[in-house]
Amino acid sequence: MGPDQALLYIVATPIGNLADMVPRAIEVLQCADLVAAEDTRHSQRLFSHFNIDTPLMAYHDHSDGKRTGQILQRLEQGQTVALISDAGTPLISDPGYRLVREAREKGIRVVPIPGACAFVAALSAAGLPSDRFSFEGFLPAKSGPRERALQELSSDSRTLVFYEAPHRVADTLQAMAEIFGAEREAVIAREVSKAFETFQLMPLGELVNWVRSDSNQQRGEIVLLVRGAERRRDNALDGEAQRVMTLLLAELPPKKAAAIAAEITGANKKVLYNWSLEQK
């Protein structure tokens, strides 16, 4: 059988409540020739609940190339393989990228089976703007790189979404309060879909104190969501854009100067042009 007959399924599994498992996912896992799982011991509990007896193989992006090759060989033989993570949608801060990439390069069909995803569920119920957002996954574990990453995001106007480990959540919120500002709104979404599901919306300065005062909020699976920075609502230009425009206006008419300055600084051409007229 050729690779055109092989299928690699990317199967979402529940992030907590097993009733969230979609029927199609159960069917695919029951009918596959092999299931590649992040942690076979963890997945065995899911299999027992849904009476799935398909063979399991451990697979992680840190697995050696031999394991990836074994799975690809099964696919090239025409077998059906399903990839699952410990919970939620594979490849969303979970293993799978290398396998999916190499499967596609070999012409093997990759089929997603949609289902639970922790950050999407948290975003839908957080009460923060969701028309534009950026999923950032896990921040660096060490304080220095974490703070630099947050600095780079400090002016982003999109809602920012992070995963965080429970033992780091208080320190991360503290860093966010210092870098984003204590008044910036944020949400901690903890244990989504589980018995102790918690959503708390507060300014960052208050939220970090709330989390530090209750050790229960430093347990389980955690999603942090932060409102984006306020967009500038006036026509003010930053100092660099004004400097560039001043230099160009000494030699060029306003319209031409604005066009060139827009390419150099990234500022809006119309705003640059209007600024030049105000200087006369």
Side-chain angles (χ1 to χ4, degrees):
M1 301 177 74
D4 59 324
Q5 296 170 290
L7 286 172
L8 173 60
Y9 286 104
I10 310 303
V11 182
T13 56
I15 56 178
N17 193 323
L18 290 177
D20 292 337
M21 186 78 163
V22 300
R24 187 182 177 205
I26 298 172
E27 181 182 356
V28 165
L29 294 180
Q30 288 174 336
C31 296
D33 296 300
L34 174 71
V35 175
E38 183 178 2
D39 184 331
T40 56
R41 292 169 300 178
H42 179 92
S43 298
Q44 194 58 60
R45 295 193 290 272
L46 179 76
F47 276 37
S48 296
H49 184 84
F50 290 106
N51 298 314
I52 300 166
D53 58 7
T54 305
L56 277 163
M57 175 187 285
Y59 178 81
H60 196 282
D61 273 351
H62 298 301
S63 301
D64 58 28
K66 182 178 179 181
R67 181 57 53 88
T68 303
Q70 290 172 342
I71 297 173
L72 290 169
Q73 185 178 39
R74 301 279 288 267
L75 288 163
E76 290 180 299
Q77 291 170 352
Q79 295 187 25
T80 296
V81 177
L83 175 69
I84 61 174
S85 63
D86 284 348
T89 302
L91 280 76
I92 307 300
S93 284
D94 277 324
Y97 165 77
R98 284 173 51 197
L99 179 61
V100 170
R101 178 77 181 201
E102 292 190 37
R104 287 201 172 277
E105 288 175 351
K106 290 180 177 294
I108 294 166
R109 186 180 172 200
V110 181
V111 179
I113 308 298
C117 179
F119 94 80
V120 174
L123 182 63
S124 71
L128 294 179
S130 57
D131 55 332
R132 297 176 67 250
F133 63 89
S134 176
F135 174 63
E136 298 295 327
F138 285 93
L139 287 163
K142 294 184 178 180
S143 60
R146 179 171 62 227
E147 290 170 7
R148 287 192 290 273
L150 291 173
Q151 287 285 1
E152 292 178 1
L153 295 167
S154 61
S155 61
D156 197 318
S157 62
R158 299 170 294 180
T159 294
L160 303 173
V161 187
F162 306 87
Y163 287 160
E164 190 51 282
H167 65 280
R168 291 197 299 264
V169 65
D171 289 342
T172 294
L173 285 169
Q174 183 67 52
M176 288 176 171
E178 293 171 359
I179 293 169
F180 294 157
E183 297 305 312
R184 182 91 71 92
E185 277 190 333
V187 173
I188 181 171
R190 191 178 66 85
E191 295 288 84
V192 174
S193 87
K194 299 177 184 177
F196 298 101
E197 177 179 279
T198 303
F199 278 80
Q200 184 64 265
L201 168 64
M202 286 180 171
L204 277 165
E206 296 178 27
L207 188 58
V208 65
N209 292 331
W210 184 78
V211 168
R212 288 195 188 280
S213 67
D214 183 356
S215 61
N216 288 323
Q217 306 312 321
Q218 300 173 49
R219 298 175 181 172
E221 303 294 329
I222 295 171
V223 184
L224 297 177
L225 306 98
V226 183
R227 181 184 283 272
E230 290 291 331
R231 295 184 184 181
R232 297 181 63 166
R233 298 181 179 179
D234 56 27
N235 289 335
L237 295 178
D238 61 30
E240 177 63 10
Q242 292 184 32
R243 186 184 72 83
V244 171
M245 276 297 291
T246 300
L247 292 172
L248 292 172
L249 285 169
E251 304 293 336
L252 300 169
K255 188 174 181 180
K256 183 66 173 178
I260 296 173
E263 293 183 9
I264 295 172
T265 66
N268 183 279
K269 182 167 64 175
K270 184 176 180 180
V271 172
L272 289 162
Y273 178 75
N274 290 339
W275 181 86
S276 70
L277 298 181
E278 293 170 1
Q279 306 312 302
K280 293 184 177 180

